[in-house]
Amino acid sequence: MVGWGYAKANGPATWPNLFPIAGGRRQSPIDIKCEACQKDSSLSKIQAVYSGIKVSELSNTGHAWKAQVSGGSSSLKGGPLGTDEYVLEQFHCHWGKTNDKGSEHTVNGKCYAAELHLVHWNKSKFSSFAEAASSDGGLAVLGMFLEVGSEHEELNKVCKLLPFVQHKGQAITVTEPISPAAFIPKNGSYWTYAGSLTTPPCYESVTWIVYEHPIQVSQTQMDAFRSMKSYHPCETCPEDELAGALVENYRPPCPLCDRVVRVYKD
Ligand code: SG7
Ligand code: ZN
């Protein structure tokens, strides 16, 4: 076995064997059941400012594409985050093989084609991303649903580089500025709850903020995601059911247990 993944033999159902916390009571993603969400008038709009942000590197982690951020200054606050300031570390995506599934969170059982994650860490309380990632209150992830429609101009800056990172472990330097703010839906309504990383080690350190309104990407852009491979260029193509295609890289919903999902309406 070559570590965790999304195939039957190493997929989400097997993660708790290697990472016990993956079987915990605060895991992500979840199915958001709108009827059970709590309207909370103390919640405010999320304030995300990304100025002079540089995407230093785009890579294929074998589990997704990932855009690593460096330099510039970013600040995420408001909503459930209170006065603590969170900074952007990286963004990445999860998607399906076809357009009818691929998101990690679902809404009343509805799946979207993909889900984009902007991963931030709490700079007010921690001194590094690694420290924050394993600590309660350490991370805040903005989740956006992607549906197939018109082309997303900003995301194209990522898509056109994907041919250079087709295989696991490949990475390229990004020179063109990419503005993560362009991925945030114009309508700021969101759901928020206490959860976890959706991949091993599944640390229960994430304040999730999932936007209600999806953003649109084109079929061609989705196909660019799906052209990626989950294996290293020196390895032969795995014989599992995904045949080495980097698709279906989403974890299905986990039990809500005793948590409450709060909703903010813009
Ligand atoms: C993706 O999702 C990657 C991971 C990320 C993980 O597989 O982007 O990042 C790295 C460093 O490979 O893990 C710690 C971390 O950010 C889980 O992030 S998520 O919960 O937002 N999906
Ligand atoms: Zn993610």
Side-chain angles (χ1 to χ4, degrees), residues 22-254:
R25 299 179 59 80
R26 197 197 135 156
Q27 291 290 296
S28 295
I30 55 164
D31 177 42
I32 297 161
K33 293 181 170 57
C34 299
E35 288 292 286
C37 291
Q38 214 169 73
K39 189 130 197 261
D40 186 339
S41 53
S42 74
L43 285 174
S44 56
K45 200 171 169 123
I46 297 296
Q47 303 159 46
V49 178
Y50 305 113
S51 59
I53 282 296
K54 286 217 170 46
V55 172
S56 49
E57 185 185 82
L58 181 73
S59 63
N60 177 335
T61 66
H63 301 122
W65 58 258
K66 184 183 74 162
Q68 188 66 39
V69 163
S70 74
S73 69
S74 60
S75 154
L76 182 76
K77 42 186 192 182
L81 308 176
T83 53
D84 281 1
E85 199 166 81
Y86 289 70
V87 293
L88 183 63
E89 171 74 12
Q90 52 111 323
F91 55 94
H92 64 267
C93 201
H94 306 262
W95 59 90
K97 199 159 55 187
T98 49
N99 294 342
D100 57 335
K101 48 192 164 54
S103 65
E104 299 212 291
H105 290 90
T106 55
V107 181
N108 293 333
K110 178 189 162 63
C111 306
Y112 287 88
E115 188 172 330
L116 182 67
H117 289 156
L118 271 52
V119 182
H120 305 72
W121 60 279
N122 187 338
K123 209 173 190 165
S124 302
K125 292 213 171 76
F126 303 98
S127 53
S128 71
F129 172 74
E131 188 198 347
S134 58
S135 310
D136 190 15
L139 301 184
V141 182
L142 296 185
M144 296 82 169
F145 294 121
L146 272 52
E147 67 179 13
V148 174
S150 52
E151 181 178 274
H152 196 290
E153 210 182 319
E154 203 67 20
L155 193 66
N156 246 356
K157 297 177 181 176
V158 171
C159 291
K160 72 182 185 198
L161 296 175
L162 294 179
F164 300 100
V165 294
Q166 284 292 287
H167 287 88
K168 177 180 181 173
Q170 295 179 327
I172 51 157
T173 304
V174 180
T175 50
E176 191 178 15
I178 301 178
S179 168
F183 301 131
I184 299 178
K186 286 188 183 63
N187 181 296
S189 297
Y190 63 82
W191 293 287
T192 182
Y193 73 98
S196 74
L197 293 175
T198 64
T199 67
C202 299
Y203 294 138
E204 295 184 331
S205 57
V206 182
T207 299
W208 276 96
I209 296 163
V210 180
Y211 285 95
E212 179 187 335
H213 291 257
I215 59 172
Q216 293 201 351
V217 304
S218 69
Q219 182 65 48
T220 307
Q221 292 181 312
M222 280 307 311
D223 291 343
F225 293 1
R226 294 172 183 142
S227 72
M228 296 175 73
K229 312 285 179 256
S230 66
Y231 60 97
H232 194 271
C234 301
E235 292 166 356
T236 53
C237 176
E239 285 172 29
D240 61 36
E241 68 276 21
L242 301 175
L246 185 30
V247 292
E248 316 279 314
N249 59 348
Y250 60 92
R251 185 188 198 186
C254 300

